[in-house]
């Protein structure tokens, strides 16, 4: 479930690869839809005011309401995982993170992230009712490090979204900044925005410097572990944009 084919690259990015080809891997439309089906039940009961000034003025209230909605739906559909059961995901890793509590399974091949979806909401410019879609956009852009949705949980300060990702051992190397730039600029067709952001009209990506440890290489693909994706438009609009691009590549 961790790797996807590369059959879309030539069609989707044929205008972007006049120089050295970039090993960009995108999900197929079928795979993207299948992944979205995991969270389909959470698309019910969404407020029509989700993107208005109302939420901007009451961010904390909107987050609390959305957290309660996600938890309630998860309990109704058997997707709720109590905090007492977190230990079943393995040993907790003592990694510095303001967003997730991380567990590594006994086999050492799967990371479980118990994510506070609102921890970086201001940086990501993400609305409360967009958080359930966030990992899907990561999966489209960076499928070599795709997430699997596991369920919803709750901590003392609110909702948690549980995701799993392939664990990358230390054998992987750190790519050059040029490799990272090539993937994002030539492969994904983004542009440099300010100093640390790669962007288009839908999203902006940051926290992907070669000086950090958030991007690794297996000498064939770049592995973006947990980049920050800033939203310029509602998540569903972003998803539809990329679904249309992917569908166009299959024609």
């Amino acid at each position: 479930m961790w790797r996807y084919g590369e059959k879309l690259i030539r069609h989707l990015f044929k205008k972007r690869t006049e120089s050295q080809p970039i090993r960009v891997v995108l999900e197929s439309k079928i795979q993207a839809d299948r992944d979205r089906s995991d969270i389909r039940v959470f698309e019910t009961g969404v407020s029509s005011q989700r993107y208005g000034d109302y939420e901007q003025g009451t961010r904390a209230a909107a987050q609390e309401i959305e957290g309660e909605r996600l938890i309630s739906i998860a309990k109704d559909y058997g997707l709720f995982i109590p905090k007492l059961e977190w230990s079943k995901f393995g040993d907790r890793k003592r990694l510095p993170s303001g967003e997730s509590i991380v567990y590594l399974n006994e086999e050492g091949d799967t990371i479980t992230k118990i994510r506070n979806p609102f921890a970086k909401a201001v940086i990501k410019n993400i609305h409360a009712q967009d958080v359930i879609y966030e990992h899907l956009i990561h999966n489209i852009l960076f499928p070599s490090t795709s997430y699997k949705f596991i369920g919803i949980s709750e901590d003392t300060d609110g909702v948690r979204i549980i995701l799993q990702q392939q664990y990358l051992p230390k054998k992987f190397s750190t790519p050059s900044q040029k490799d990272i730039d090539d993937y994002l600029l030539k492969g994904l067709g983004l542009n440099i925005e300010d100093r640390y952001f790669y962007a288009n009209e839908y999203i902006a990506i940051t926290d992907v410097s070669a000086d950090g440890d958030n991007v690794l290489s297996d000498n064939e693909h770049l592995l973006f572990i947990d980049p920050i994706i800033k939203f310029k438009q509602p998540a569903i609009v972003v998803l539809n944009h990329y679904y249309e691009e992917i569908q166009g590549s299959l024609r």
Side-chain angles (χ1 to χ4, degrees):
M1 68 183 177
W2 306 111
R3 294 185 178 274
Y4 305 93
E6 299 186 13
K7 62 183 179 181
L8 304 180
I9 176 61
R10 291 183 180 178
H11 180 93
L12 189 57
F13 296 136
K14 62 183 178 181
K15 296 181 180 179
R16 304 173 185 164
T17 56
E18 296 177 357
S19 59
Q20 181 179 359
I22 310 304
R23 296 183 179 90
V24 176
V25 188
L26 291 185
E27 290 184 298
S28 70
K29 179 66 163 57
I30 295 174
Q31 180 65 41
D33 278 348
R34 186 187 67 80
D35 282 352
R36 186 171 170 185
S37 70
D38 292 343
I39 56 92
R40 189 74 69 182
V41 295
F42 297 102
E43 296 187 87
T44 61
V46 176
S47 169
S48 61
Q49 293 183 320
R50 61 190 298 186
Y51 302 115
D53 294 335
Y54 173 77
E55 181 177 319
Q56 293 295 331
T58 58
R59 182 182 298 273
Q63 291 176 355
E64 182 178 357
I65 291 170
E66 177 62 5
E68 292 173 352
R69 189 184 76 88
L70 294 175
I71 291 169
S72 176
I73 293 174
K75 290 179 176 179
D76 288 344
Y77 285 87
L79 294 171
F80 184 79
I81 301 173
K83 184 176 181 178
L84 291 174
E85 296 182 14
W86 290 1
S87 60
K88 72 181 182 181
F89 296 118
D91 293 329
R92 181 172 175 178
K93 294 180 67 68
R94 301 296 177 181
L95 296 177
S97 173
E99 190 173 15
S100 299
I101 296 174
V102 179
Y103 291 85
L104 177 64
N105 70 342
E106 185 176 349
E107 292 75 18
D109 59 7
T110 300
I111 284 283
T112 300
K113 296 182 178 180
I114 300 176
R115 175 176 290 178
N116 179 348
F118 305 122
K120 297 179 181 178
V122 175
I123 297 174
K124 296 177 179 179
N125 193 37
I126 192 168
H127 288 256
Q129 291 176 333
D130 279 349
V131 296
I132 196 64
Y133 300 107
E134 186 181 1
H135 70 285
L136 300 181
I137 295 169
H138 173 102
N139 290 354
I140 291 173
L141 300 175
F142 309 109
S144 294
T145 54
S146 63
Y147 288 107
K148 178 182 179 182
F149 175 79
I150 300 300
I152 297 293
S153 191
E154 184 177 20
D155 207 345
T156 54
D157 59 344
V159 67
R160 294 293 185 268
I161 296 178
I162 302 180
L163 305 170
Q164 286 186 339
Q165 186 180 46
Q166 180 185 17
Y167 177 64
L168 301 178
K170 295 180 180 179
K171 67 179 182 180
F172 293 106
S173 61
T174 301
S176 68
Q177 191 61 50
K178 181 181 183 304
D179 288 339
I180 295 173
D181 288 348
D182 282 350
Y183 185 105
L184 296 170
L185 301 178
K186 298 178 183 178
L188 293 183
L190 304 177
N191 299 300
I192 293 178
E193 183 177 84
D194 297 327
R195 184 176 179 183
Y196 300 108
F197 288 85
Y198 302 79
N200 59 20
E201 63 183 294
Y202 296 94
I203 58 169
I205 297 170
T206 191
D207 196 20
V208 287
S209 170
D211 296 329
D213 59 358
N214 213 17
V215 186
L216 299 176
S217 172
D218 63 359
N219 297 320
E220 184 178 1
H221 301 101
L222 295 189
L223 307 168
F224 291 77
I225 301 171
D226 199 16
I228 294 175
I229 301 175
K230 179 181 177 180
F231 289 75
K232 294 185 175 182
Q233 299 194 39
I236 195 65
V237 173
V238 178
L239 277 174
N240 287 338
H241 163 70
Y242 282 108
Y243 285 170
E244 289 173 5
E245 277 208 353
I246 293 169
Q247 183 61 37
S249 72
L250 299 178
R251 295 185 184 129

